[in-house]
């Protein structure tokens, strides 16, 4: 049996665990089943156990304390609906990078059904040259649920644009709308939807999170986004899947591996 680092988060009876760690933010969500969730985390000199009372904080041993280098961070208990740890600068404002895709996914599913088959178009040519990709191909016909996996598992920016373009055409009611205009319509809808969800410090400029000074959120808004996103079964299923082989409606096969190290059995951070 693998010997785990003392600083590793250990959880049993987990139904889902999602972690998003960026240079500016670290967000951890633990969702346990209704039976007996057990969670332990040592972070920045504090030890917290879900088995104890919410106020039960015990100083950690010096050698097990974790230093959080991110300027903004939050550890949030989905079970207790409260933060367990917070660290913020500048009001918690962050550039969310690929965690943007959680709102992309949730917004897209307001207009697309998971079983809808959509066709990959020239919208994939709009992504940044250094983007992470799901390697979808123009002309590929593929289900929305599969594109979701391509976006949320390997963090495919091409998949994010495919969903944005398809949903954008549904939003405008124009199936012939250009890729650029369809994606722009979708991003406008994302921002409008963010306001509807009560996200007061969020503004997005793209569906994949490529940096833009005007593309930002806060750690607190990211908590809300993640809670809403994980309430959808299609999204929840995608983020907890480590490997997937998908055959599209047009016959292409894509193989994806999740970038979440907590799901990787070969990672020191693997959480069984």
């Amino acid at each position: 049996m693998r010997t785990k680092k003392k600083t590793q988060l250990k959880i049993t009876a987990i139904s889902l665990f999602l972690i998003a760690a960026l240079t500016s933010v670290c967000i951890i969500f633990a969702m346990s089943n209704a039976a007996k969730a057990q969670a332990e985390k040592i972070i920045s000199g504090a030890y917290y156990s879900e088995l104890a009372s919410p106020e039960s904080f015990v100083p950690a041993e010096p050698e097990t304390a974790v230093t959080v280098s991110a300027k903004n961070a939050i550890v949030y208990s989905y079970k207790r609906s409260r933060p367990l740890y917070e660290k913020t600068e500048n009001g918690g404002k962050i550039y969310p990078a690929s965690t943007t895709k959680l709102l992309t996914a949730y917004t897209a599913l307001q207009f697309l059904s998971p079983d809808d088959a959509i066709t990959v178009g020239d919208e994939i040519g709009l992504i940044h040259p250094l983007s992470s990709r799901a390697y979808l191909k123009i002309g590929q016909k593929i289900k929305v649920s599969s594109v979701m996996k391509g976006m949320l598992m390997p963090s495919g920016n091409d998949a994010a644009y495919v969903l944005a373009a398809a949903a954008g055409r549904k939003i405008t009611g124009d199936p012939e709308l250009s890729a650029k205009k369809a994606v722009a319509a979708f991003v406008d809808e994302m921002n409008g939807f963010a306001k509807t969800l009560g996200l007061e410090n969020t503004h997005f400029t793209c569906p994949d999170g490529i940096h833009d000074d005007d593309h930002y959120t806060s750690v607190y808004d990211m908590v809300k986004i993640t809670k809403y996103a994980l309430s959808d079964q299609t999204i929840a299923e995608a983020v907890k899947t480590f490997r997937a082989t998908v055959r599209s409606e047009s016959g292409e096969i894509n193989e994806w591996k999740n970038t979440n190290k907590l799901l990787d059995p070969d990672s020191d951070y693997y959480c069984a």
Side-chain angles (χ1 to χ4, degrees), residues 240-253:
K240 73 177 182 179
T241 302
F242 178 54
R243 290 185 184 273
T245 299
V246 173
R247 180 183 292 275
S248 64
E249 304 303 288
S250 49
E252 296 86 352
I253 295 177

Side-chain angles (χ1 to χ4, degrees), residues 103-113 144 148 163-164 167 186 190:
L103 187 59
T104 296
Y106 194 65
T107 303
L109 288 172
Q110 308 309 304
F111 302 95
L112 303 171
S113 168
V144 167
M148 284 285 172
L163 288 171
F186 178 80
M190 282 179 73

Side-chain angles (χ1 to χ4, degrees), residues 10-229:
K10 299 177 180 179
I11 299 179
T12 59
I14 286 187
S15 63
L16 180 63
F17 195 100
L18 168 67
I19 179 171
L22 311 175
T23 57
S24 59
V25 61
C26 174
I27 299 174
I28 298 175
F29 264 80
M31 296 178 64
S32 54
N33 65 16
K36 289 185 178 180
Q38 298 182 20
E40 296 177 356
K41 178 64 181 178
I42 301 170
I43 189 165
S44 288
Y47 172 94
Y48 179 84
S49 172
E50 288 275 37
L51 298 178
S53 64
E55 294 77 23
S56 179
F57 283 86
V58 180
E61 297 178 10
E63 68 271 18
T64 63
V66 174
T67 299
V68 178
S69 59
K71 293 181 179 180
N72 294 280
I74 189 166
V75 179
Y76 186 91
S77 170
Y78 189 90
K79 177 183 177 183
R80 296 181 183 275
S81 296
R82 57 164 290 175
L84 308 181
Y85 170 84
E86 299 175 68
K87 176 185 177 183
T88 60
E89 291 185 13
N90 299 320
K93 181 179 178 179
I94 57 172
Y95 297 111
S98 281
T99 52
T100 295
K101 291 167 183 156
L102 290 174
L103 187 59
T104 296
Y106 194 65
T107 303
L109 288 172
Q110 308 309 304
F111 302 95
L112 303 171
S113 168
D115 291 328
D116 286 347
I118 56 180
T119 301
V120 179
D122 59 359
E123 62 273 0
I124 62 175
L126 298 175
I127 67 174
H128 191 280
L130 299 180
S131 291
S132 53
R133 302 167 187 255
Y135 294 99
L136 301 177
K137 298 178 180 179
I138 292 179
Q140 184 173 353
K141 190 174 183 181
I142 185 170
K143 285 186 177 181
V144 167
S145 58
S146 295
V147 182
M148 284 285 172
K149 288 182 178 179
M151 179 175 68
L152 297 173
M153 292 177 63
S155 195
N157 289 2
D158 49 352
Y161 271 79
V162 169
L163 288 171
R169 293 183 179 112
K170 283 285 188 73
I171 291 165
T172 61
D174 183 357
E176 304 301 323
L177 194 64
S178 71
K180 192 171 184 178
K181 289 182 178 180
V183 171
F186 178 80
V187 173
D188 284 344
E189 188 67 28
M190 282 179 73
N191 286 317
F193 197 41
K195 297 300 181 185
T196 300
L197 296 179
L199 309 181
E200 299 178 354
N201 299 292
T202 294
H203 182 267
F204 290 163
T205 61
C206 62
D208 60 354
I210 286 293
H211 180 77
D212 184 296
D213 286 346
D214 203 31
H215 187 100
Y216 59 84
T217 185
S218 72
V219 289
Y220 307 109
D221 279 0
M222 275 308 307
V223 164
K224 293 179 182 178
I225 290 171
T226 307
K227 288 179 71 174
Y228 279 115

